């Protein structure tokens, strides 16, 4: 052997230091604390957000109303009006805002991870234009703006889910590469935007107003039924995403080939979890209209705080997205009170600059 | 025999990439997989790694047919190091290496998983960089992190797909020496797809030359690397020397500093280009 070959680059490894794995576990515990802290903060923010509005309601009033609502008790006559405002108007809207934000943010994390691209959002595969077209079609066919909300919700949900199913079936049958999938999403977005524009062009004054109003994402008409349905979808989806978070890590960080070599069924995982992501997005869009940016910014904020590991990122992104939409709704209700700015508009005003700030200040945020 | 590949055939659509490839790599052996671009090296590595499903043929590890194993079981037996690991998201070296434990843990890594990760990081000399972000590492360090990931996977077979192609000389040599050392210490079978003939000759115990989806030669570097075969495979006029017991391959240069390549090889008097039709690339035969 020559001199270069005999000089070993590294000595044999020393016996395992016991401290290092403990450090790793402590870091995991720290991240769980962050998630716990975020949950407490979210609960406080929800209560505070209920107090905001034209009818003066205090922090303790909210706690009392929730206590009465859940555990029952006698409702004092002088508290009846505040109780009605809290439980029938404010609570459903703040809860729907929070849940919708959480759903979009989790959906964004899934899409970004599975498509291995930090710039995609829940709407990348054409979910929101398809939903908007479905709602617009129902409004146009009915020819009135006095439609039951269930009709537009149904129209939006059916078209957005059908389009997503079409994309996913095509992707799995043709074994599409990620780039092809993204291009398909762009094409579908263009097609459905054009279709909606065509409907708007032919619409009457009344229906045109209804179509345009629908596209402003808002939680103004939130009901307990909306909260229950969207909430149930999120509560079912979150544990499923957490169960697969390890496999999601493998695909997002190591790529398809390496993930397969780690024993991950990449094809099934990708189609299954993208399916879940588009269902989350489609349900939110159908109930609230188009709320952009949360699905893009929510995941990035969460990633900056808690890191990219999906085991912690998924729950934390639910909190960050929920809080973002909660704050946006609170701002929308106060900025030109008593008028209410739809949350979809406010969140773009808050999320846009925030995103620009993230891009410009953290070079690693998008790497 | 630790890793045993028998009659492995692989097709992309109608195009045949690998044609009944058969070879063995014993435990503790470091085997180089050589061949020009498009010879099927990468495909062969991925087929053994379980990334691609072969059309026919078997891969056995310590006598077990890997096709009978579930995905996770397979991943505990065969590890794979890709050419590069560009992650679109930023993560630390430790987070990158723990990915190798994916087939071993359930929802969260256990203390034992973290111990394996730490051990792999130390072995690759990345101890001081464990908390660094992957994007801050140099090419050589990032490549070592990928190998650490495969070490943490704790497999009987280690496959490497051109891990040295983007590295400078020092990191090429360090990487090869590390893999050789690990192979001997752990008694695993390592297979590396590589372009550099001299590195293969120096650091590997066995050399397999792949050409057009066929195996042309298989043996020790001295046995497998002979000038006529290499001229035939690479279409470059080379000469092979034995220097201090190690095979050395060099392009043969005439007095004008010119080396014959491609079809010019045929004009050589001593080319020994014995063209057996069976040796013709499968892709060309179609």
């Amino acid at each position: 052997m020559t001199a270069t070959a005999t000089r070993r680059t590294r000595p044999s490894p020393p016996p395992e230091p016991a401290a290092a794995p403990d450090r790793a576990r402590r870091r995991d515990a720290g991240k769980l604390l962050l998630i716990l802290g975020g949950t407490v903060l979210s609960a406080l923010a929800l209560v505070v957000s209920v107090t905001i509005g034209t009818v003066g309601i205090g922090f303790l009033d909210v706690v009392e109303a929730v206590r009465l609502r859940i555990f029952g008790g006698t409702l004092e006559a002088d508290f009846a009006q505040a109780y009605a405002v809290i439980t029938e108007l404010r609570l459903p809207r703040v809860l729907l805002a929070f849940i919708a934000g959480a759903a979009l943010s989790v959906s964004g994390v899934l899409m970004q991870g599975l498509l291995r691209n930090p710039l995609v959002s829940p709407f990348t595969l054409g979910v929101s234009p398809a939903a908007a077209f479905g709602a617009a079609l129902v409004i146009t066919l009915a020819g009135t703006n006095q439609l039951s909300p269930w009709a537009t919700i149904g129209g939006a949900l059916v078209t957005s889910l059908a389009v997503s199913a079409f994309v996913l079936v095509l992707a799995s049958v043709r074994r599409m590469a990620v780039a092809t999938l993204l291009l398909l999403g762009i094409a579908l977005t263009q097609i459905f935007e054009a279709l909606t524009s065509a409907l708007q062009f032919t619409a009457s004054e009344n229906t045109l107003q209804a179509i345009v109003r629908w596209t402003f994402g808002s939680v103004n008409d939130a009901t307990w039924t909306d909260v229950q349905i969207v909430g149930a979808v999120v509560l079912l989806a979150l544990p499923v995403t957490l169960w697969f978070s390890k496999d999601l890590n493998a695909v997002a960080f190591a790529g398809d080939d390496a993930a397969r070599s780690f024993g991950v069924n990449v094809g099934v995982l990708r189609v299954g979890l993208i399916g879940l992501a588009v269902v989350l997005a489609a349900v939110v869009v159908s109930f609230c209209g188009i709320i952009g940016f949360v699905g893009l910014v929510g995941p990035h904020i969460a990633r900056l705080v808690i890191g990219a590991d999906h085991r912690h990122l998924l729950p934390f992104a639910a909190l960050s997205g929920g809080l973002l939409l909660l704050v946006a709704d609170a701002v929308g209700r106060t900025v030109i009170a008593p008028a209410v700015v739809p949350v979809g508009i406010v969140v773009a005003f808050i999320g846009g600059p925030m995103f620009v700030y993230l891009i410009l200040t953290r070079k690693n945020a998008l790497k | 025999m630790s890793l045993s590949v028998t009659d492995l055939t692989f097709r992309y659509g109608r195009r045949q990439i690998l044609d009944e490839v058969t070879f063995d790599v014993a435990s503790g052996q470091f085997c180089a997989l050589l061949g020009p671009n498009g010879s099927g090296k990468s495909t062969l590595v991925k087929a053994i790694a379980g990334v691609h499903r072969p059309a026919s043929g078997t891969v056995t590890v310590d006598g077990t047919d890997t096709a009978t194993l579930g995905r996770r079981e397979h991943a505990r037996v065969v590890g794979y190091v890709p050419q590069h690991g560009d992650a679109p998201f930023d993560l630390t070296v430790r987070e990158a290496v723990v990915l190798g434990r994916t087939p071993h843990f359930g929802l969260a890594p256990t203390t034992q998983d973290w111990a394996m990760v730490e051990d792999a990081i130390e072995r690759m000399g990345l101890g001081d960089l464990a908390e660094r972000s992957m994007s801050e590492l140099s090419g050589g360090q990032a490549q070592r992190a990928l190998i650490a990931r495969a070490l943490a996977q704790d497999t009987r077979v280690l496959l490497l797909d051109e891990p040295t192609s983007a590295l400078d000389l020092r990191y090429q040599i360090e990487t090869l020496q590390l893999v050789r050392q690990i192979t001997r210490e752990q008694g695993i079978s390592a297979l590396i797809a590589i372009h550099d003939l001299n590195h293969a000759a120096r650091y590997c115990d066995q050399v397999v030359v792949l050409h057009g989806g066929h195996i042309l030669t298989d043996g020790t570097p001295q046995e497998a690397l002979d000038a006529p075969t290499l001229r035939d495979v690479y279409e470059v006029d080379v000469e092979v020397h034995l220097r201090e017991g190690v095979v050395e391959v060099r392009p043969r240069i005439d007095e004008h500093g010119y080396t014959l390549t491609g079809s010019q090889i045929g004009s050589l008097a001593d080319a020994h280009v014995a063209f057996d039709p069976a040796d013709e690339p499968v892709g060309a035969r179609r």
Side-chain angles (χ1 to χ4, degrees):
Chain A
M1 285 240 178
T2 59
T4 45
T6 45
R7 212 203 71 193
R8 295 281 169 92
T9 10
R10 302 284 158 201
S12 290
E16 180 48 43
D22 286 352
R23 267 210 310 277
R25 283 181 85 84
R26 264 208 302 280
R27 217 178 359 266
D28 262 21
K31 288 184 174 179
L32 288 179
L33 267 181
L34 265 178
I35 293 170
L36 195 68
T39 313
V40 172
L41 182 67
S42 301
L44 286 177
L46 277 167
V47 175
V48 169
S49 167
V50 174
T51 65
I52 295 170
T54 39
V55 180
I57 286 167
F59 190 93
L60 292 177
D61 295 336
V62 182
V63 177
E64 173 68 6
V66 171
R67 193 186 66 77
L68 281 175
R69 169 99 190 176
I70 296 174
F71 300 107
T74 44
L75 180 61
E76 306 291 335
D78 57 347
F79 188 54
Q81 197 210 350
Y83 179 80
V85 169
I86 291 170
T87 57
E88 295 312 314
L89 295 176
R90 303 250 181 103
L91 262 182
R93 87 169 291 144
V94 299
L95 283 174
L96 187 62
F98 187 83
I99 294 167
L104 290 174
S105 188
V106 166
S107 177
V109 170
L110 292 175
M111 296 290 276
Q112 290 173 359
L114 291 162
L115 296 178
R116 306 196 73 226
N117 187 334
L119 296 176
V120 305
S121 80
F123 303 152
T124 301
L125 295 184
V127 170
S128 68
F133 169 73
L137 188 65
V138 169
I139 293 166
T140 310
L141 290 178
T144 165
N145 57 1
Q146 301 299 318
L147 211 55
S148 149
W150 289 107
T152 44
I153 288 172
L157 201 56
V158 167
T159 42
S160 54
L161 289 180
V163 168
S164 307
F166 168 75
V167 173
L168 288 175
V169 168
L170 205 61
S172 54
V173 170
R174 299 278 305 268
R175 294 172 167 278
M176 260 180 212
V178 164
T180 321
L181 205 58
L182 291 176
L183 286 174
L184 193 63
I186 292 172
L188 286 167
T189 301
Q190 297 295 328
I191 290 169
F192 280 101
E193 278 176 357
L195 283 171
T196 308
S197 297
L199 283 179
Q200 288 175 345
F201 187 70
T202 54
S204 71
E205 197 90 330
N206 269 346
T207 54
L208 178 64
Q209 199 200 15
I211 292 172
V212 172
R213 282 186 74 88
W214 189 89
T215 57
F216 299 146
S218 93
V219 287
N220 286 351
D221 309 314
T223 66
W224 277 108
T225 319
D226 299 348
V227 173
Q228 280 159 3
I229 294 173
V230 183
V233 174
V234 174
L235 285 181
L236 285 176
L238 253 184
V240 177
T241 63
L242 283 177
W243 180 259
F244 289 106
S245 58
K246 174 185 83 163
D247 296 343
L248 187 55
N249 276 344
V251 172
F253 304 146
D256 288 13
D257 285 355
R260 282 193 189 99
S261 81
F262 298 149
V264 176
N265 191 343
V266 175
V268 169
L269 182 82
R270 179 166 284 136
V271 169
L273 286 192
I274 289 182
L276 194 65
V278 294
V279 167
L280 280 171
V283 168
V284 170
V285 170
S286 303
F287 278 86
C288 306
I290 297 167
I291 302 172
F293 260 116
V294 183
L296 183 64
V297 182
H300 283 290
I301 295 171
R303 219 173 263 126
L304 284 177
V305 175
I306 206 161
D309 185 338
H310 288 89
R311 290 183 298 122
H312 310 115
L313 178 61
L314 281 161
F316 201 78
L319 297 172
S320 71
L323 273 173
L324 186 61
L325 212 54
L326 195 66
V327 171
D329 180 52
V331 171
R333 281 186 287 149
T334 46
V335 69
I336 50 164
V340 176
V341 185
V343 69
I345 296 173
V346 181
V347 82
F349 275 119
I350 297 177
M354 210 172 197
F355 198 47
V356 171
Y357 174 77
L358 289 181
I359 294 166
L360 296 181
T361 54
R362 294 289 191 98
K363 67 176 180 356
N364 282 339
L366 291 177
K367 168 69 188 117
Chain B
M1 279 304 162
S2 188
L3 170 67
S4 195
V5 177
T6 314
D7 293 336
L8 197 75
T9 299
F10 182 85
R11 294 185 194 89
Y12 260 129
R14 287 176 60 200
R15 219 160 72 85
Q16 188 152 356
I17 310 291
L18 299 173
D19 185 21
E20 301 192 341
V21 169
T22 301
F23 69 100
D24 298 318
V25 182
S27 298
Q29 293 280 297
F30 187 14
C31 175
L33 183 59
L34 296 173
N37 290 330
S39 58
K41 293 194 301 291
S42 212
T43 308
L44 177 55
V45 167
K46 286 180 184 175
I48 301 170
V51 174
H52 293 330
R53 291 276 141 136
S56 64
T58 55
V59 176
T60 64
V61 176
D62 294 336
T64 310
D65 184 352
T66 57
T68 63
L69 300 174
R71 284 171 201 279
R72 271 169 71 107
E73 286 173 299
H74 190 280
R76 290 182 205 162
V77 174
V78 181
Y80 163 71
V81 178
Q83 202 166 352
H84 41 71
D86 61 320
F89 305 99
D90 212 16
L91 60 166
T92 65
V93 171
R94 190 177 275 112
E95 284 173 328
V97 174
V98 82
L99 291 175
R101 300 300 296 168
T102 303
H104 295 275
F105 66 82
L107 274 181
T110 63
T111 312
Q112 199 213 335
D113 290 312
W114 285 118
M116 301 283 290
V117 167
E118 231 50 48
D119 184 46
I121 288 173
E122 286 298 328
R123 272 165 177 276
M124 285 292 118
L126 296 168
D128 299 336
L129 305 174
E131 287 299 313
R132 284 286 184 82
S133 125
M134 284 291 285
S135 60
E136 293 171 35
L137 301 190
S138 72
Q141 291 166 336
Q143 192 63 53
R144 275 189 284 163
L146 290 187
I147 297 175
R149 189 176 82 186
L151 283 189
Q153 204 173 332
D154 190 26
T155 55
R156 297 291 305 143
V157 172
L158 184 60
L159 306 165
L160 305 104
D161 189 5
E162 292 187 30
T164 54
S165 294
L167 303 183
D168 68 24
L169 186 60
R170 174 192 154 188
Y171 284 127
Q172 288 183 25
I173 291 171
E174 287 190 0
T175 303
L176 290 166
Q177 288 184 162
L178 278 165
V179 175
R180 183 176 64 180
Q181 185 189 338
I182 291 153
T183 307
R184 302 221 170 124
E185 283 173 6
Q186 316 266 75
I188 59 178
S189 308
L191 177 69
I192 182 170
I194 187 168
H195 273 305
D196 193 308
L197 302 171
N198 293 315
H199 280 344
R202 167 152 287 164
Y203 298 107
C204 298
D205 310 300
Q206 179 187 352
V207 168
V208 170
V209 179
L210 199 63
H211 184 40
H214 295 283
I215 287 194
L216 279 197
T217 54
D218 173 8
T220 63
Q222 272 196 56
E223 291 164 1
L225 297 175
D226 65 298
T229 307
L230 294 175
R231 282 181 201 137
D232 196 0
V233 171
Y234 289 97
E235 298 188 339
V236 174
D237 182 19
V238 294
E239 51 191 11
V240 177
H241 299 283
L242 206 57
R243 209 176 123 107
E244 293 170 35
V246 179
V247 178
E248 202 172 72
V249 182
R250 276 200 309 224
R252 192 156 60 175
I253 300 165
D254 66 14
E255 65 268 30
H256 308 295
Y258 193 79
T259 302
L260 296 180
T261 59
S263 55
Q264 298 163 329
I265 296 284
S267 65
L268 278 174
D270 59 345
H272 301 296
V273 188
F275 231 82
D276 183 345
D279 290 344
E280 208 181 321
V282 182
R285 271 193 286 156
R286 202 69 67 92

